[in-house]
């Protein structure tokens, strides 16, 4: 498995501002992803964080709103830009260890007022 | 893209009974099917997974079955305990896209003592 940490664990933000979430893994991993879990809902993949190149975004998510960095194989950041109350969610990073096994970080709970 | 349907949305059982959660998927190229358990306020935890070349997998009280022809897979929990109460999510790989998971809507399992 992998030990994954996220910062911050939670935050309350004002609309129109931006928040950067950090994800740190205790070992080098090739595949890293960012998911969103809206209140009471399932998980939705936002993007694949690619090391050394631009992230790959899923339908409905764009780089201007969710810029992602992946400077090395153990770290990534997700920024939620120009926030609105609809962005209130849990944001989780995940990593693939081995062939396909995917582990999740503890999540960042975001509330936008 | 991939679509995963999960049923039921809520499931209530008595301690000691069995619980079954079912999922169907749309992309016949999907080849990896994990199940996650998410307790309130916690991250999703992988509890069991199955690959497309296997029809059934068991781990103590938990088992997963896969029917590739019908494109459905199920989670079976026997001898349920109150600590099994949680939200359970099925997932499938997004076609042959390595690591990208599409999640079902989730099942709230409540085990009554």
């Amino acid at each position: 498995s992998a030990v994954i940490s996220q910062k911050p664990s939670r935050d309350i933000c004002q609309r129109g501002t931006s928040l950067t979430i950090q994800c740190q893994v205790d070992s080098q991993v090739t595949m890293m992803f960012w998911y969103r879990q809206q209140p009471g809902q399932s998980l939705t993949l936002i993007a694949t964080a690619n090391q050394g190149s631009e992230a790959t975004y899923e339908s409905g998510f764009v780089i201007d709103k969710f810029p992602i960095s992946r400077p090395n194989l153990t770290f990534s950041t997700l920024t939620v830009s120009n926030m609105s109350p609809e962005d209130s969610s849990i944001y989780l990073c995940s990593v693939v260890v081995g062939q396909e096994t995917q582990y999740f970080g503890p999540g960042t709970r975001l509330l936008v007022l | 893209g991939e679509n995963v349907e999960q049923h039921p949305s809520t499931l209530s059982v008595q301690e000691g009974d069995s619980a079954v959660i079912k999922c169907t998927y749309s992309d016949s190229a999907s080849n990896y099917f994990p199940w996650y358990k998410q307790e309130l306020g916690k991250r999703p935890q992988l509890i069991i997974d199955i690959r497309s070349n296997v029809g059934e997998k068991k781990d103590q009280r938990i088992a997963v079955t896969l029917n590739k022809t019908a494109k459905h897979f199920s989670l079976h929990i026997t001898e349920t305990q109150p600590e099994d109460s949680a939200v359970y999510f099925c997932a499938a790989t997004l076609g042959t896209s390595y690591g990208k998971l599409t999640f079902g809507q989730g099942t709230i399992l409540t085990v009554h003592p």
Side-chain angles (χ1 to χ4, degrees), chain B residues 59-71:
Chain B
D59 182 4
Q60 298 183 341
R61 296 187 296 110
I62 294 173
V64 57
T65 59
L66 171 65
N67 184 326
K68 284 201 67 180
T69 303
K71 290 188 285 187

PDB file of all heavy atoms in Angstrom, chain B residues 59-71:
ATOM      1  N   ASP B  59     -12.649 -13.265   0.521  1.00  0.00           N
ATOM      2  CA  ASP B  59     -11.722 -12.887   1.576  1.00  0.00           C
ATOM      3  C   ASP B  59     -12.503 -12.877   2.881  1.00  0.00           C
ATOM      4  O   ASP B  59     -13.211 -11.920   3.194  1.00  0.00           O
ATOM      5  CB  ASP B  59     -11.121 -11.503   1.289  1.00  0.00           C
ATOM      6  CG  ASP B  59     -10.100 -11.085   2.341  1.00  0.00           C
ATOM      7  OD1 ASP B  59      -9.804 -11.888   3.251  1.00  0.00           O
ATOM      8  OD2 ASP B  59      -9.590  -9.953   2.245  1.00  0.00           O
ATOM      9  N   GLN B  60     -12.420 -13.956   3.610  1.00  0.00           N
ATOM     10  CA  GLN B  60     -13.118 -14.134   4.881  1.00  0.00           C
ATOM     11  C   GLN B  60     -14.628 -13.967   4.662  1.00  0.00           C
ATOM     12  O   GLN B  60     -15.230 -14.770   3.956  1.00  0.00           O
ATOM     13  CB  GLN B  60     -12.557 -13.165   5.918  1.00  0.00           C
ATOM     14  CG  GLN B  60     -11.076 -13.405   6.199  1.00  0.00           C
ATOM     15  CD  GLN B  60     -10.505 -12.504   7.268  1.00  0.00           C
ATOM     16  OE1 GLN B  60     -11.054 -11.449   7.605  1.00  0.00           O
ATOM     17  NE2 GLN B  60      -9.396 -12.913   7.851  1.00  0.00           N
ATOM     18  N   ARG B  61     -15.245 -12.952   5.228  1.00  0.00           N
ATOM     19  CA  ARG B  61     -16.706 -12.816   5.119  1.00  0.00           C
ATOM     20  C   ARG B  61     -17.149 -12.071   3.851  1.00  0.00           C
ATOM     21  O   ARG B  61     -18.342 -11.894   3.602  1.00  0.00           O
ATOM     22  CB  ARG B  61     -17.237 -12.064   6.338  1.00  0.00           C
ATOM     23  CG  ARG B  61     -17.045 -12.773   7.665  1.00  0.00           C
ATOM     24  CD  ARG B  61     -17.753 -12.033   8.788  1.00  0.00           C
ATOM     25  NE  ARG B  61     -17.184 -10.687   9.015  1.00  0.00           N
ATOM     26  CZ  ARG B  61     -17.816  -9.563   8.720  1.00  0.00           C
ATOM     27  NH1 ARG B  61     -19.025  -9.574   8.161  1.00  0.00           N
ATOM     28  NH2 ARG B  61     -17.247  -8.391   8.963  1.00  0.00           N
ATOM     29  N   ILE B  62     -16.185 -11.645   3.066  1.00  0.00           N
ATOM     30  CA  ILE B  62     -16.499 -10.831   1.875  1.00  0.00           C
ATOM     31  C   ILE B  62     -16.174 -11.618   0.621  1.00  0.00           C
ATOM     32  O   ILE B  62     -15.123 -12.281   0.548  1.00  0.00           O
ATOM     33  CB  ILE B  62     -15.700  -9.514   1.909  1.00  0.00           C
ATOM     34  CG1 ILE B  62     -16.151  -8.659   3.076  1.00  0.00           C
ATOM     35  CG2 ILE B  62     -15.858  -8.756   0.601  1.00  0.00           C
ATOM     36  CD1 ILE B  62     -15.312  -7.418   3.276  1.00  0.00           C
ATOM     37  N   ALA B  63     -17.055 -11.548  -0.348  1.00  0.00           N
ATOM     38  CA  ALA B  63     -16.812 -12.195  -1.640  1.00  0.00           C
ATOM     39  C   ALA B  63     -17.322 -11.290  -2.747  1.00  0.00           C
ATOM     40  O   ALA B  63     -18.247 -10.490  -2.550  1.00  0.00           O
ATOM     41  CB  ALA B  63     -17.498 -13.553  -1.708  1.00  0.00           C
ATOM     42  N   VAL B  64     -16.710 -11.409  -3.899  1.00  0.00           N
ATOM     43  CA  VAL B  64     -17.166 -10.667  -5.076  1.00  0.00           C
ATOM     44  C   VAL B  64     -17.280 -11.662  -6.223  1.00  0.00           C
ATOM     45  O   VAL B  64     -16.445 -12.550  -6.385  1.00  0.00           O
ATOM     46  CB  VAL B  64     -16.212  -9.510  -5.428  1.00  0.00           C
ATOM     47  CG1 VAL B  64     -14.796  -9.997  -5.649  1.00  0.00           C
ATOM     48  CG2 VAL B  64     -16.712  -8.735  -6.631  1.00  0.00           C
ATOM     49  N   THR B  65     -18.357 -11.533  -6.995  1.00  0.00           N
ATOM     50  CA  THR B  65     -18.554 -12.358  -8.181  1.00  0.00           C
ATOM     51  C   THR B  65     -18.644 -11.457  -9.395  1.00  0.00           C
ATOM     52  O   THR B  65     -19.119 -10.316  -9.311  1.00  0.00           O
ATOM     53  CB  THR B  65     -19.833 -13.194  -8.065  1.00  0.00           C
ATOM     54  OG1 THR B  65     -20.965 -12.312  -7.884  1.00  0.00           O
ATOM     55  CG2 THR B  65     -19.759 -14.153  -6.885  1.00  0.00           C
ATOM     56  N   LEU B  66     -18.191 -11.971 -10.524  1.00  0.00           N
ATOM     57  CA  LEU B  66     -18.182 -11.210 -11.769  1.00  0.00           C
ATOM     58  C   LEU B  66     -18.775 -12.047 -12.885  1.00  0.00           C
ATOM     59  O   LEU B  66     -18.384 -13.199 -13.080  1.00  0.00           O
ATOM     60  CB  LEU B  66     -16.751 -10.802 -12.128  1.00  0.00           C
ATOM     61  CG  LEU B  66     -16.531 -10.176 -13.504  1.00  0.00           C
ATOM     62  CD1 LEU B  66     -17.247  -8.832 -13.618  1.00  0.00           C
ATOM     63  CD2 LEU B  66     -15.039 -10.018 -13.784  1.00  0.00           C
ATOM     64  N   ASN B  67     -19.715 -11.473 -13.605  1.00  0.00           N
ATOM     65  CA  ASN B  67     -20.285 -12.100 -14.786  1.00  0.00           C
ATOM     66  C   ASN B  67     -19.985 -11.181 -15.968  1.00  0.00           C
ATOM     67  O   ASN B  67     -20.680 -10.187 -16.194  1.00  0.00           O
ATOM     68  CB  ASN B  67     -21.798 -12.304 -14.618  1.00  0.00           C
ATOM     69  CG  ASN B  67     -22.421 -13.030 -15.787  1.00  0.00           C
ATOM     70  OD1 ASN B  67     -21.998 -12.875 -16.936  1.00  0.00           O
ATOM     71  ND2 ASN B  67     -23.425 -13.829 -15.517  1.00  0.00           N
ATOM     72  N   LYS B  68     -18.944 -11.510 -16.720  1.00  0.00           N
ATOM     73  CA  LYS B  68     -18.518 -10.633 -17.812  1.00  0.00           C
ATOM     74  C   LYS B  68     -19.529 -10.601 -18.952  1.00  0.00           C
ATOM     75  O   LYS B  68     -19.701  -9.587 -19.612  1.00  0.00           O
ATOM     76  CB  LYS B  68     -17.158 -11.080 -18.346  1.00  0.00           C
ATOM     77  CG  LYS B  68     -15.986 -10.714 -17.466  1.00  0.00           C
ATOM     78  CD  LYS B  68     -14.695 -10.707 -18.259  1.00  0.00           C
ATOM     79  CE  LYS B  68     -14.694  -9.585 -19.277  1.00  0.00           C
ATOM     80  NZ  LYS B  68     -13.451  -9.547 -20.072  1.00  0.00           N
ATOM     81  N   THR B  69     -20.186 -11.723 -19.172  1.00  0.00           N
ATOM     82  CA  THR B  69     -21.161 -11.781 -20.266  1.00  0.00           C
ATOM     83  C   THR B  69     -22.302 -10.815 -20.002  1.00  0.00           C
ATOM     84  O   THR B  69     -22.730 -10.063 -20.885  1.00  0.00           O
ATOM     85  CB  THR B  69     -21.706 -13.205 -20.425  1.00  0.00           C
ATOM     86  OG1 THR B  69     -20.615 -14.092 -20.655  1.00  0.00           O
ATOM     87  CG2 THR B  69     -22.696 -13.281 -21.578  1.00  0.00           C
ATOM     88  N   ALA B  70     -22.794 -10.830 -18.775  1.00  0.00           N
ATOM     89  CA  ALA B  70     -23.902  -9.956 -18.408  1.00  0.00           C
ATOM     90  C   ALA B  70     -23.431  -8.570 -17.982  1.00  0.00           C
ATOM     91  O   ALA B  70     -24.242  -7.671 -17.756  1.00  0.00           O
ATOM     92  CB  ALA B  70     -24.716 -10.597 -17.288  1.00  0.00           C
ATOM     93  N   LYS B  71     -22.147  -8.400 -17.823  1.00  0.00           N
ATOM     94  CA  LYS B  71     -21.549  -7.144 -17.380  1.00  0.00           C
ATOM     95  C   LYS B  71     -22.098  -6.711 -16.029  1.00  0.00           C
ATOM     96  O   LYS B  71     -22.575  -5.571 -15.850  1.00  0.00           O
ATOM     97  CB  LYS B  71     -21.705  -6.050 -18.443  1.00  0.00           C
ATOM     98  CG  LYS B  71     -20.835  -6.294 -19.675  1.00  0.00           C
ATOM     99  CD  LYS B  71     -20.827  -5.126 -20.637  1.00  0.00           C
ATOM    100  CE  LYS B  71     -22.106  -5.061 -21.411  1.00  0.00           C
ATOM    101  NZ  LYS B  71     -22.096  -4.037 -22.471  1.00  0.00           N
TER     102      LYS B  71
END
